[in-house]
Amino acid sequence: MTARLLDGRPVASHMWRDLSSRVAALAETGAAPPRLAIIIFERGGSSAVYAGGIARAARSVGVEPFEVEPPDGVSLPDLAARIGALNRDPSVAGIVIAQPVAAHLELPRVVELIDPAKDVDGATPLNAGRQARAEAAFVPATALAVMRLLHHYEVPIAGRRAVVVGRSPVVGRPTAELLLSAHASVMLTHRRTRNLARETRRAEILVVAAGSPNLIRAEMVNRSAVVVDCGINVTEQGIVGDVDFEAVRPVVSAISPVPGGVGPVTTMCLIEQTVRSAEALHARAEQDESLGRFAHRSISLE
Ligand code: ADP
């Protein structure tokens, strides 16, 4: 029997419909389209591909993307002023950093400059901390995409044994947190794990985010496993995941393809969080306005 395919495209289109109507609802109130700032340090390369993908998805639902390109050699205080202006600008709903950041800067110091309320890719320590405490937070888009994919295909999570391969702060760790919040029993594995195959074979849900093509082979999985592949590796054979798809598909119960699995859902998750931020900004503006009217009235009554 061949595994069920966890195709990301219908999940992304489902999300697209929902998000388009939410952005349209905001527009009906007369609000300007929400904007998404993409901070980019490097022209070309993977940053540009990433930024281009996000910008297209944003535009498709009515969110206005714009790139912010700090000058070469920008100092941290200068960058802080630039990001601070985006934080204060009520038309900006989301701020994301296209990695890599310039070599003279440290990513954590750059990320900290973003207002957590606009951190729609869940990159700031505050959002990571909130997530670790299972509080409402913006979370890294890939981690959210894994969950959306599992929910869409009605994969049971509560009480299941989940194994995550990779512990990066962008994918592995936050995915493990979300699986835990959804009541899975989670094991995180990584480069130092002894006998990786022994651990992955125990997984009922196996999420792979190791950045290593064909790391997961047929003998490393369980027949009942649902496999989600977060890998995006550029090889001579094109883009491949971290799972040997051809070999693993026949021996598991479900598997996500690369490309076309987690990827398209990830971009939509980023836009979803941007729309959520725009809705919150809008609600706050309306509240301020009605408070303002009230204050005005009470003054005029005196
Ligand atoms: P990503 O952005 O997909 O999370 P990173 O390169 O940031 O990728 O992180 C890779 C993660 O995968 C690290 O936590 C590393 O320990 C893990 N990893 C890489 N190769 C292996 C391997 N061969 N076995 C187990 N874990 C691995």
Side-chain angles (χ1 to χ4, degrees):
M1 212 188 73
T2 187
R4 197 152 61 112
L5 195 67
L6 306 179
D7 185 349
R9 287 162 303 185
V11 189
S13 8
H14 194 263
M15 293 177 75
W16 176 83
R17 276 194 298 279
D18 170 54
L19 296 173
S20 302
S21 68
R22 285 163 64 181
V23 175
L26 282 175
E28 271 168 25
T29 67
R35 300 200 299 150
L36 171 62
I38 305 168
I39 301 174
I40 184 161
F41 292 89
E42 221 182 60
R43 289 274 128 220
S46 62
S47 294
V49 177
Y50 176 78
I54 295 171
R56 260 193 312 282
R59 258 185 231 107
S60 79
V61 304
V63 168
E64 203 177 281
F66 65 105
E67 287 185 4
V68 176
E69 195 183 346
D72 284 348
V74 65
S75 69
L76 196 61
D78 182 356
L79 194 61
R82 288 164 196 266
I83 296 182
L86 299 171
N87 288 339
R88 289 186 298 274
D89 183 340
S91 75
V92 176
I95 304 169
V96 295
I97 309 242
Q99 288 189 39
V101 301
H104 69 285
L105 296 170
E106 288 172 62
L107 180 65
R109 301 291 83 74
V110 175
V111 160
E112 281 166 3
L113 302 173
I114 301 173
D115 177 352
K118 298 189 176 187
D119 170 28
V120 294
D121 201 14
T124 60
L126 186 71
N127 277 312
R130 283 181 176 156
Q131 194 207 356
R133 293 182 168 198
E135 294 172 15
F138 286 130
V139 301
T142 310
L144 189 55
V146 171
M147 302 307 286
R148 289 276 186 277
L149 202 61
L150 293 173
H151 286 304
H152 183 91
Y153 290 99
E154 298 178 346
V155 174
I157 300 173
R160 299 299 158 112
R161 205 161 41 231
V163 176
V164 179
V165 183
R167 58 176 163 182
S168 85
V170 209
V171 191
R173 265 173 209 248
T175 304
E177 301 275 9
L178 291 178
L179 286 164
L180 185 61
S181 294
H183 314 295
S185 293
V186 184
M187 171 168 221
L188 256 172
T189 65
H190 45 80
R191 235 180 261 283
R192 303 280 286 269
T193 299
R194 272 184 295 137
N195 201 343
L196 180 66
R198 183 183 60 198
E199 308 303 339
T200 54
R201 268 199 299 268
R202 288 167 50 78
E204 293 171 287
I205 297 170
L206 179 63
V207 179
V208 194
S212 176
N214 297 330
L215 174 68
I216 304 299
R217 302 177 307 275
E219 67 275 15
M220 296 171 76
V221 293
N222 188 303
R223 285 204 162 271
S224 63
V226 173
V227 181
V228 180
D229 190 349
C230 302
I232 301 176
N233 305 294
V234 182
T235 70
E236 281 172 8
Q237 286 78 46
I239 291 179
V240 302
D242 293 346
V243 178
D244 183 347
F245 184 83
E246 296 307 326
V248 170
R249 187 175 186 193
V251 299
V252 292
S253 87
I255 185 168
S256 72
V258 177
V262 175
V265 187
T266 296
T267 334
M268 275 301 155
C269 285
L270 188 86
I271 307 303
E272 179 193 314
Q273 298 197 106
T274 308
V275 172
R276 202 186 334 138
S277 164
E279 289 166 342
L281 278 166
H282 183 69
R284 205 160 58 211
E286 289 213 309
Q287 198 182 26
D288 287 352
E289 202 181 308
S290 64
L291 282 175
R293 268 203 301 273
F294 182 68
H296 180 71
R297 195 165 50 211
S298 61
I299 289 163
S300 64
L301 282 175
E302 276 172 10

